[in-house]
Amino acid sequence: ARFYRYCAVCHDIAERAPPNFLAGKPDEVRARLAHCAPRIFVRLSMWSVEAPQRAKTPMPPALALRAHGMSAEQWRDNEALSAMLSEVGGWLQAESGAAPRLADYLERGYENLRPCLE
């Protein structure tokens, strides 16, 4: 539900760009979210990195947060962001057997991570 609330405006669409991982039936959405988990993890985690050091734009972008009445500062400390990161982290840990670390994904390079949708 959190992903729909904060991500659906851009990701529950018919087009494939930006990745439409929230489009479709619930089972399809769950599979897409799990498949996109490495990139989602990086994008959500970018909120914990100071702006000049960010490798990618954080998601949801600051502009989208305005629709929820939040500033970037409020979002960084928001329970919803923590919960989303925890959920994505759980998917990644179930897949690899290890807790995900942002540094590991950044070392590999965002563009080298599994493509969100194939």
Side-chain angles (χ1 to χ4, degrees), residues 38 41-42 92 96 100-110 113:
F41 181 80
V42 169
L92 291 168
S96 70
R101 292 178 358 106
L102 177 61
D104 294 339
Y105 289 110
L106 294 178
E107 186 176 298
R108 288 175 49 197
Y110 183 84
L113 297 177

Side-chain angles (χ1 to χ4, degrees), residues 60-88:
L63 184 61
L65 294 173
R66 289 187 203 159
H68 298 285
M70 270 189 266
S71 68
E73 293 76 24
Q74 290 169 315
W75 178 246
R76 271 195 301 265
D77 298 326
N78 194 286
E79 180 275 330
L81 174 59
S82 297
M84 291 166 73
L85 274 165
S86 179
E87 189 168 4
V88 174

Side-chain angles (χ1 to χ4, degrees), residues 7-113:
C7 308
V9 168
C10 296
H11 296 286
D12 185 6
I13 57 173
E15 295 81 26
R16 292 181 54 85
N20 61 354
F21 52 78
L22 291 176
K25 297 176 182 168
D27 288 346
E28 296 170 328
V29 170
R30 278 191 290 280
R32 286 183 184 142
L33 283 168
H35 184 79
C36 296
R39 289 179 181 236
I40 293 171
F41 181 80
V42 169
R43 293 301 192 111
L44 291 173
S45 296
M46 283 295 106
W47 283 110
S48 68
V49 177
E50 292 299 319
Q53 284 77 43
R54 289 179 182 152
K56 296 300 282 182
T57 301
M59 292 291 150
L63 184 61
L65 294 173
R66 289 187 203 159
H68 298 285
M70 270 189 266
S71 68
E73 293 76 24
Q74 290 169 315
W75 178 246
R76 271 195 301 265
D77 298 326
N78 194 286
E79 180 275 330
L81 174 59
S82 297
M84 291 166 73
L85 274 165
S86 179
E87 189 168 4
V88 174
W91 301 332
L92 291 168
Q93 185 163 353
E95 181 180 311
S96 70
R101 292 178 358 106
L102 177 61
D104 294 339
Y105 289 110
L106 294 178
E107 186 176 298
R108 288 175 49 197
Y110 183 84
E111 300 307 324
N112 295 320
L113 297 177

